[in-house]
């Protein structure tokens, strides 16, 4: 994609810059050249080779920058222009009786509507999920508080053997046992 | 949002000005009306209406779900009330901009309305700090009512502390 740099090259090639072989003040750069040699050198009448540092990297950078920026800008512009022209924003209307609108029908612009329908979680969904989360954590907290109060009472009164009872289920032990049996089948030993 | 039609100008200067405006306006309007508008589907959108849930003063103290719902309702009400204040303020500003230098006389009613609306907004929502909290707003109301019981309506001055209630 040499588009950008070739556009500029044609303007730059004809400009009177040092890199294009314009005259340099010889008093500063080459004080020891004689005027006669210089005059002979310039007598060829052909195009001379311009000795200058390479601008290849800079040109390539410009080309790549242009390419990758346009790769995003052009499709986005086309799509957004099409949507704004031919689909267009919705008009405001009263909610009809007995009708519960979908979440995406609360927004005007078609892109916002699409995102609400396919990408985003609705306000109601997040709200209800939060309510459930609060309820569950509050339930767990109340259970823990009650357990703490029971333990405190047992410590105070010291009249219950339940303090020494460890609540253990056999579920984990059964699982470990079945794993052991399976490994015996596979490997041969425990 | 269609603009109202312009009155025809008989004055040659205004005819010229309208002609210059039409060089850009006519093609654009033609394009929109013939190419764009017929191809658009008719879709509508609505404004969401939220159900009222119990407010913070109707919630039990150990019910955090009720408190969460009251907080969300408080946030929504704050937005709505803020917009109401904005509308009233905008009306006052437009009146002042239009009626200057007579604005004191002509916009007095609107100014009174704006003062009342902003006062009630500030009574409910202001001076609570950056993190709004429905419980803080409720406590603010409680403190204001206690203060009013002791000293009379807000704005009538404080009574002496040594006097009995």
């Amino acid at each position: 994609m040499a588009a950008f740099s070739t556009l500029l090259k044609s303007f730059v090639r004809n400009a009177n810059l040092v890199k294009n072989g314009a005259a340099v003040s010889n008093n500063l750069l080459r004080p020891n050249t004689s005027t006669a040699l210089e005059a002979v050198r310039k007598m060829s009448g052909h195009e001379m080779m311009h000795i200058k540092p390479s601008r290849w990297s800079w040109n390539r950078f410009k080309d790549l920058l242009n390419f990758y920026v346009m790769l995003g800008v052009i499709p986005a512009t086309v799509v957004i222009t099409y949507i704004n022209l031919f689909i267009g924003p919705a008009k405001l209307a009263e909610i009809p009786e007995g009708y519960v609108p979908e979440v995406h029908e609360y927004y005007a612009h078609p892109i916002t509507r699409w995102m609400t329908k396919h990408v985003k979680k609705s306000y109601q969904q997040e709200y209800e999920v939060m309510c459930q989360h609060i309820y569950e954590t509050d339930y767990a907290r109340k259970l823990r508080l009650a357990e703490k109060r029971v333990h405190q009472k047992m410590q105070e009164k010291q009249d219950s053997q339940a303090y020494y009872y460890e609540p253990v289920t056999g579920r984990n032990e059964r699982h470990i046992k079945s794993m052991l049996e399976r490994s015996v089948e596979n490997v041969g030993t425990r | 949002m269609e603009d109202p039609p312009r009155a025809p100008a008989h004055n040659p200067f205004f005819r010229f000005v309208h002609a210059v405006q039409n060089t850009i306006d006519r093609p654009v309007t033609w394009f929109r009306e013939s190419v764009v508008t017929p191809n658009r589907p008719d879709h509508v959108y609505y404004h969401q209406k939220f159900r009222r849930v119990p407010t913070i003063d109707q919630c039990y103290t150990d019910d955090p779900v009720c408190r969460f719902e009251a907080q969300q309702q408080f946030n929504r009400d704050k937005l709505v009330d803020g917009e109401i204040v904005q509308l009233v303020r905008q009306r006052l500003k437009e009146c002042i901009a239009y009626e200057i230098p007579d604005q004191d006389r002509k916009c007095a009613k609107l100014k009174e309305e704006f003062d009342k609306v902003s006062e009630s907004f500030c009574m409910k929502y202001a001076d609570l700090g950056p993190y709004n909290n429905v419980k803080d707003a409720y406590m603010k109301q409680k403190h204001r009512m206690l203060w009013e019981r002791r000293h009379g309506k807000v704005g009538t001055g404080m009574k002496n502390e040594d006097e009995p209630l």
Side-chain angles (χ1 to χ4, degrees):
Chain A
M1 287 283 124
F4 215 47
S5 53
T6 47
L7 268 178
L8 274 187
K9 262 187 209 160
S10 55
F11 290 111
V12 164
R13 208 174 281 142
N14 301 329
N16 190 27
L17 298 169
V18 173
K19 62 178 181 175
N20 290 336
V24 174
S25 159
N26 282 331
N27 298 334
L28 297 169
L29 289 178
R30 289 199 217 155
N32 295 326
T33 322
S34 75
T35 331
L37 274 178
E38 214 188 290
V40 169
R41 184 163 42 99
K42 287 184 180 170
M43 270 182 202
S44 69
H46 299 291
E47 287 275 332
M48 293 199 296
M49 179 182 141
H50 302 293
I51 300 175
K52 54 188 183 189
S54 162
R55 293 182 69 80
W56 185 83
S57 319
W58 173 237
N59 291 339
R60 188 163 155 74
F61 169 74
K62 286 184 287 189
D63 291 336
L64 289 173
L65 184 68
N66 181 45
F67 176 64
Y68 283 109
V69 165
M70 289 299 158
L71 194 62
V73 159
I74 289 175
T77 316
V78 167
V79 167
I80 292 174
T81 313
Y82 177 80
I83 290 178
N84 275 324
L85 280 183
F86 293 107
I87 302 180
K91 296 193 190 46
L92 186 56
E94 281 294 325
I95 300 181
E97 281 295 325
Y99 174 64
V100 177
E102 304 271 326
V103 175
H104 66 90
E105 287 174 13
Y106 287 125
Y107 298 94
H109 198 264
I111 298 181
T112 324
R113 280 169 90 110
W114 184 86
M115 303 241 312
T116 330
K117 221 196 306 194
H118 297 133
V119 177
K120 202 166 179 325
K121 298 196 178 82
S122 66
Y123 178 72
Q124 190 175 353
Q125 180 178 356
E126 304 233 18
Y127 185 97
E128 293 185 5
V129 163
M130 185 61 169
C131 282
Q132 176 66 16
H133 175 71
I134 290 175
Y135 174 74
E136 282 179 0
T137 40
D138 186 59
Y139 198 94
R141 172 182 158 264
K142 283 179 177 150
L143 281 179
R144 258 184 262 123
L145 277 176
E147 204 184 322
K148 197 164 149 206
R149 286 199 296 266
V150 167
H151 275 267
Q152 272 176 351
K153 275 279 175 276
M154 288 201 291
Q155 263 187 331
E156 265 176 53
K157 300 199 167 172
Q158 297 279 345
D159 63 348
S160 166
Q161 281 288 323
Y163 193 72
Y164 302 101
Y165 171 67
E166 281 257 347
V168 168
T169 52
R171 196 161 162 254
N172 287 340
E173 300 295 320
R174 277 195 291 272
H175 180 255
I176 291 169
K177 203 166 151 195
S178 74
M179 286 286 118
L180 265 175
E181 277 170 21
R182 208 198 292 176
S183 77
V184 162
E185 282 171 21
N186 289 339
V187 176
T189 59
R190 292 182 64 176
Chain B
M1 258 46 91
E2 309 298 332
D3 292 323
R6 258 203 307 241
H10 301 291
N11 191 345
F13 175 72
F14 285 121
R15 282 224 302 271
F16 171 71
V17 168
H18 288 174
V20 169
Q21 286 173 348
N22 283 343
T23 54
I24 299 185
D25 193 52
R26 284 269 178 81
V28 172
T29 316
W30 171 84
F31 182 73
R32 191 183 165 88
E33 281 170 5
S34 59
V35 176
V36 171
T37 319
N39 289 334
R40 279 194 182 175
D42 277 325
H43 49 193
V44 291
Y45 77 108
Y46 310 105
H47 277 164
Q48 190 162 12
K49 289 191 170 58
F50 292 95
R51 272 196 296 229
R52 300 300 296 180
V53 287
T55 48
I56 187 71
D57 56 320
Q58 296 162 357
C59 284
Y60 289 113
T61 47
D62 63 349
D63 193 353
V65 182
C66 184
R67 188 172 158 177
F68 170 74
E69 294 203 48
Q71 174 75 49
Q72 293 297 314
Q73 186 169 258
F74 178 76
N75 293 351
R76 292 196 296 264
D77 289 343
K78 191 172 183 179
L79 290 174
V80 171
D81 290 338
E83 286 298 319
I84 292 173
V85 173
Q86 288 274 56
L87 283 171
V88 176
R89 191 192 287 132
Q90 192 60 34
R91 269 191 228 157
L92 174 66
K93 271 191 192 173
E94 284 171 0
C95 175
I96 289 175
Y98 195 71
E99 303 284 358
I100 248 180
D102 302 318
Q103 80 272 22
D104 292 327
R105 183 170 45 95
K106 291 211 166 149
C107 302
K109 206 154 56 135
L110 280 174
K111 183 141 187 20
E112 200 186 300
E113 232 177 76
F114 172 67
D115 282 340
K116 242 194 308 180
V117 164
S118 64
E119 184 196 325
S120 27
F121 181 85
C122 286
M123 262 209 290
K124 187 166 175 191
Y125 297 108
D127 296 327
L128 291 173
Y131 299 104
N132 71 336
N133 200 339
V134 63
K135 194 165 152 212
D136 288 346
Y138 186 42
M139 291 297 119
K140 180 183 173 188
Q141 188 191 33
K142 179 194 88 172
H143 290 156
R144 181 172 60 81
M145 286 171 134
L146 281 176
W147 197 91
E148 280 187 354
R149 191 198 287 182
R150 286 180 191 153
H151 302 277
K153 212 82 176 97
V154 171
T156 56
M158 274 174 80
K159 292 217 175 81
N160 199 345
E161 276 186 11
D162 296 333
E163 283 177 15
L165 266 171

